[in-house]
Amino acid sequence: MALCANHNSVYVALHISLIHSLFSFFYLTSPVAGIGSSAGSASGLITSYDVLYYTGVRAYFSEEWEKAAELLEKSMSTREALFRTRRQCHKECVPAGYDRLPKLDTEKGNVWDLWAVDWVQRRAECVRFCLGRAVTPAGQLPVSADIEYEFSTRNPYNFLQVVYWKLGKVQKAASAAHTFFVANPSHLEMRNNIEKYRRMEGVTEDAFQDREMETEKHWALYDSALTSEASSDWTHAVEKWMECVNETLRQTDECRAQCEVASQRLPENRGEDGMDGVFEKAAALSLSLLSCQQACVTQVATRPGRISAQEDFLPTQLEHLHIAQFKAGDLGGAVRSLRSLLLFYPSDKDSLSNLELYTETLGGDTEAHGTKPSQEIARYVSRSLQEKKLLYFGMENLNFNFTDPDLWTPEEVVPELLRDTWRAEKEVLNEKLKAGEKEVEMDDSGFYAGGPVPQVGVTISMDDNSLNGTNRVVLDGVLDQKECNTVLRLATAAASAGDGYRGRRSPHTPHEKFEGLTVLRAVKLAQDGMVNQSDAKLLHEMGERVRTLLHSYFRSPSGLHFSYTHLVCRSAITGDQEGRLDLSHPVHVDNCLLEPETRQCWREPPAFTHRDLSAVLYLNDDFDGGELFFTDRDAKTVTARVKPTCGRLVGFSSGPVNPHGVTAVTAGRRCALALWFTKEKHHRDMEREEAESLWAADGQSVMKGGEVKEEGRDGTAAPARSGRSGSQSSRSRGRGRVTGGKDEL
């Protein structure tokens, strides 16, 4: 039974895979010898980075800033040192046991198995000895999924930017903030902090460098190559695309090495009552290893700050490369790159047509005609196909679950029994790609636009048809001019710099001043005699008016509760508007995280997932810009615009069918009442109820949902907790994220 390259037999390949899994089996199930279990950093060995991280987080919450900084930094450097050691041990131990391979060529049956065991034992011994020289036994154990999540989302830098700010080390704080923000671009508080750091004395531009850029070098090369293409600098584009391809292959190999050398738990509950034999467990472990290595494609193709990978990442680079080489005059290189691309898609009509063009252009250059694909790409494709065959074999025969990360997988690799399902899924995906992933938007919010408008004088100015969307409406006449003027006067007298609840001056752009006022703050100011009671009550009653209108128009099937209410004014900063390209509020979705590249919207923090209905009630129009606009899920294609004016109400469901943003306010002051509603009572706005309790305690009535709340209501004030802040903190506890006012600048 020869063990050579390019086996066609799945059975033979499975034996090879079993050998590798047996290597893992021996390495993982044998005790680590030669090192005491209590070895720590004092011994010079690499210790457990998860313990360092947990200890650093505890120090953070104890406000031991120096200790927290030391431990958090050490946890990250220890993790990197561990990864480097694993890579080195993998490199050193690849040849281990190779002297036994010739014997596998001739021996059969049980003797073959023994020689295979001898080979993997030698390799396992090599890896165990190599790691044991540098890593403590505890440091070799797998970390929890929570720890992996923390580091993959760069949350240590979230803690560090606060720690360094507390210590007065603003340059380091800015660096940590920037590094975290690269992978979390939807984190508005961090964006605001970064803008503040940029204006601080002692903070230089060098601070705003990604500390993790070494592991993301291929993305920097990718962006540089695209920039060169845009300027038609084809020579430079070729250079960058070649570097990008090589770096992508290197990052993939490094990821695969981690899969093989890093400690993994043995599969549990295999077979009935977990009574599988060693070969069944070895097969399961083998398939898990191969699945991990296949997943490296997805890991490397996922840009920081993105949830989904870029499809066909490596083939896309090769496509760009061969075109750039052709335009730069390197025909031989273009042929090599194109033939490499054809290894992924051998029957692609465009590629074959281009190859014909290139060969015709080469003319009598026989040497260039004979150019073969890149050896590295050929090995990559061959290895990947062998692994896919094994994994699909495991799916068909061993009840193994595998998600293929590639679109280019040929149909013949997939077993016949799985082919129909695989073909249908691939067809759906290909159709999405061909159509630019233009999806039919379905709104599952439970709202149905088109209900009656129960207020005299209010008219429907724009509906779903005129707004080119689903569950959108513009109502005019909700306020009269006198009411608008009253609330504008209230905003001028009482709105505080910042957003009205956390003091953020410019949460979205440094070119505008942001002022806000909540109902509760207005009530307290009225009690102190700072504003008129009637003005504060009007602010409250406006919200009730909006709820009544939208509950009816969108035919809400259940009660509609206030989630948050916020009077907000945006003012253009004089002399800071020239050449401005940003938005007053970037395109977003209110209850999910929009990912324009993949057109996905993820219902997870930091999005306010409990929001069901959104509304904006405008107070004025004497400013420039500040238009609300709706977009497609690509965040670029504008589907509708709404110009603010006194008494105009815009209402829409808060989900992914309604991405929206606000254009820059370039002159004047734009004021509006922003409201969000939820169908979940436990997410209601407790601050609003506290305001109502304060009125009741003073013996005053307040309009609420068309009814009058009489005197005598229990005047006990509810805790000061908004639906926004309360929900955010409850969702954040599970991950230990840095939240809360004390963590912001």
Side-chain angles (χ1 to χ4, degrees), residues 1 210 239 312 375 437 476 481 618 641-642 656 743 745:
M1 184 181 296
D210 185 1
E239 176 188 342
D312 270 347
Q375 291 184 1
E437 293 184 339
D476 279 330
Q481 190 62 56
Y618 297 112
R641 293 179 180 271
V642 180
D743 298 324
L745 305 183

Side-chain angles (χ1 to χ4, degrees), residues 23 54 125 161 273 340 348 355 374 418 536 718 729:
F23 151 67
Y54 279 130
E125 181 183 26
Q161 78 93 21
D273 301 321
S340 299
D348 181 68
L355 183 61
S374 161
L418 304 175
S729 63

Side-chain angles (χ1 to χ4, degrees), residues 241-424:
W241 281 124
M242 290 184 70
E243 291 180 19
C244 186
V245 169
N246 291 332
E247 182 63 19
T248 299
L249 291 171
R250 188 188 71 82
Q251 293 278 7
T252 304
D253 285 342
E254 296 227 348
C255 174
R256 290 171 59 85
Q258 293 295 325
C259 289
E260 188 167 329
V261 180
S263 295
Q264 303 285 344
R265 294 181 177 87
L266 286 171
E268 297 178 356
N269 299 323
R270 296 293 305 173
E272 292 188 14
D273 301 321
M275 296 301 292
D276 278 351
V278 65
F279 277 100
E280 288 88 346
K281 290 181 179 178
L285 183 59
S286 170
L287 294 171
S288 297
L289 168 63
L290 295 182
S291 181
C292 174
Q293 292 179 322
Q294 282 278 302
C296 288
V297 173
T298 301
Q299 180 175 322
V300 173
T302 304
R303 187 187 286 267
R306 298 290 182 264
I307 299 173
S308 301
Q310 180 170 324
E311 298 287 3
D312 270 347
F313 187 47
L314 190 55
T316 297
Q317 295 175 43
L318 292 171
E319 185 171 16
H320 280 278
L321 175 58
H322 81 74
I323 293 173
Q325 288 171 321
F326 176 74
K327 294 191 174 184
D330 180 10
L331 291 179
V335 171
R336 177 183 295 105
S337 299
L338 184 50
R339 284 185 170 148
S340 299
L341 175 60
L342 283 166
L343 293 175
F344 294 95
Y345 291 103
S347 59
D348 181 68
K349 293 180 180 179
D350 290 336
S351 296
L352 291 172
S353 177
N354 284 329
L355 183 61
E356 184 178 350
L357 170 65
Y358 294 170
T359 53
E360 289 177 357
T361 308
L362 285 169
D365 189 346
T366 55
E367 183 178 347
H369 276 297
T371 303
K372 295 185 180 299
S374 161
Q375 291 184 1
E376 290 79 6
I377 299 297
R379 282 196 294 268
Y380 176 96
V381 173
S382 176
R383 177 187 65 194
S384 185
L385 287 175
Q386 289 291 340
E387 291 173 352
K388 291 177 191 295
K389 289 177 183 177
L390 288 168
L391 287 161
Y392 279 116
F393 179 86
M395 288 181 68
E396 183 181 27
N397 298 286
L398 302 175
N399 197 30
F400 186 78
N401 293 321
F402 166 61
T403 301
D404 196 330
D406 295 307
L407 292 175
W408 57 268
T409 302
E411 185 172 307
E412 57 267 21
V413 171
V414 183
E416 190 66 38
L417 291 176
L418 304 175
R419 202 167 289 177
D420 287 343
T421 302
W422 175 86
R423 193 183 294 123

